[in-house]
Amino acid sequence: MNRIRLLPEQVANQIAAGEVVERPASVVKELVENSLDAAATRITVEIQAGGRSLIRVTDDGLGMSRDDALLCLERHATSKIQRAEDLSAVATMGFRGEALPSIASVSRFVLTTRERDGDAPEATQVIINGGKIVEVKAAGAAPGTSLEVRSLFFNLPARRKFLRSEETEFAHIQHYLTLAALAHPEVAFTLTPVRAIPRCSNASAPFKAANTTCSPWISPPKSPSLPNLKNRLRLPPSSILHPHLSSASGVSWARPEFRVRPARTSIFS
């Protein structure tokens, strides 16, 4: 009896996911890098429960046709390189073609895309559950791509168990997006925490949510790049409140209090 055998594709994708997806911030990084490679000028990231429940990345990039939308979910399918010689001149964020199938294998994944310069009047939507394609259908959407990742690691409870708190995971996502915004001042980044709707204890009473207002974290397009953050910290506190680094959750910025810690580039209010 042969002891060596080929692994099923789904198992191989889950193993690859262990290298690509360490935490929700890893998912955001891979999806945002795809958006940047697609020449997007606006990228919106929506996060719920620190990325455990929902990660949605929407861009206005080139988009994909129906055939490309299905092909991009195959391992080692990429538009970045074609020959071995291309590896010495890679000018994109990624090129292996493993991120999307790996992420789709450990989540409930929805891909909605429409070509920016295509003739198709409708978008293509692919619904995947744990690496298995459930449905492919036409959908209405603006040009670009929207990738929705729900219930990350739902089929790998051991991996899900070792995720940190919602606040910690959200902080990792915000840190990565801050770096991405600084590196790409021509792209508008928006980070929006999606809050779960509180349940009303009395069904007959009018619904009144608690204080759930949270302004999105926004980086404006085509704004000048920032100087080095350490240099900015030598300036008066008012000069540090740059739109690239704006983040508010019901916080009043009238009298901010700043604490700068050694070996950190974060600003605490």
Side-chain angles (χ1 to χ4, degrees):
M1 180 180 177
N2 295 334
R3 292 183 298 170
I4 298 176
R5 62 185 65 85
L6 289 174
L7 290 174
E9 182 178 0
Q10 185 177 0
V11 177
N13 284 335
Q14 289 185 353
I15 293 173
E19 301 175 358
V20 175
V21 185
E22 296 180 1
R23 61 191 333 150
S26 306
V27 176
V28 173
K29 175 180 179 295
E30 296 293 343
L31 300 186
V32 168
E33 287 180 351
N34 280 344
S35 297
L36 293 172
D37 287 341
T41 60
R42 291 185 176 275
I43 300 175
T44 301
V45 181
E46 298 170 79
I47 302 296
Q48 184 178 9
R52 297 174 183 231
S53 300
L54 171 67
I55 299 171
R56 184 186 294 118
V57 177
T58 305
D59 66 57
D60 62 349
L62 298 175
M64 292 179 284
S65 64
R66 181 184 177 92
D67 291 340
D68 284 347
L70 293 171
L71 190 57
C72 76
L73 298 168
E74 299 291 336
R75 292 187 69 195
H76 307 301
T78 179
S79 61
K80 316 295 177 60
I81 59 174
Q82 296 181 357
R83 302 172 300 173
E85 291 78 6
D86 295 338
L87 293 173
S88 60
V90 174
T92 56
M93 296 288 184
F95 57 88
R96 296 187 303 171
E98 288 186 314
L100 290 185
S102 298
I103 295 169
S105 69
V106 293
S107 65
R108 295 184 171 94
F109 186 89
V110 179
L111 163 64
T112 306
T113 183
R114 177 184 168 193
E115 283 188 295
R116 179 196 293 171
D117 302 324
D119 298 329
E122 57 192 17
T124 299
Q125 186 173 85
V126 185
I127 302 174
I128 301 174
N129 191 352
K132 297 180 180 179
I133 295 179
V134 176
E135 186 178 6
V136 180
K137 62 182 181 180
T145 301
S146 174
L147 293 162
E148 185 177 292
V149 179
R150 290 185 179 272
S151 304
L152 185 64
F153 297 135
F154 78 97
N155 52 355
L156 294 175
R159 293 290 303 274
R160 189 176 178 88
K161 177 182 178 182
F162 283 96
L163 291 177
R164 306 296 294 272
S165 67
E166 295 181 11
E167 293 77 10
T168 299
E169 298 298 348
F170 187 86
H172 281 284
I173 294 170
Q174 189 174 27
H175 175 70
Y176 165 72
L177 288 176
T178 301
L179 299 180
L182 293 172
H184 300 86
E186 74 283 359
V187 180
F189 290 83
T190 303
L191 172 59
T192 304
V194 179
R195 304 200 181 268
I197 299 176
R199 293 185 178 181
C200 186
S201 57
N202 186 355
S204 60
F207 174 76
K208 183 178 180 181
N211 182 18
T212 57
T213 59
C214 184
S215 301
W217 179 95
I218 300 175
S219 166
K222 302 185 184 301
S223 54
S225 57
L226 288 178
N228 185 277
L229 186 57
K230 293 182 180 178
N231 294 334
R232 292 190 65 82
L233 294 179
R234 300 192 187 110
L235 302 176
S238 59
S239 66
I240 302 177
L241 291 177
H242 190 281
H244 273 290
L245 302 176
S246 62
S247 177
S249 178
V251 178
S252 172
W253 290 100
R255 297 179 58 86
E257 174 189 353
F258 293 90
R259 304 194 303 274
V260 182
R261 300 183 181 180
R264 290 197 179 187
T265 57
S266 302
I267 302 173
F268 299 84
S269 63

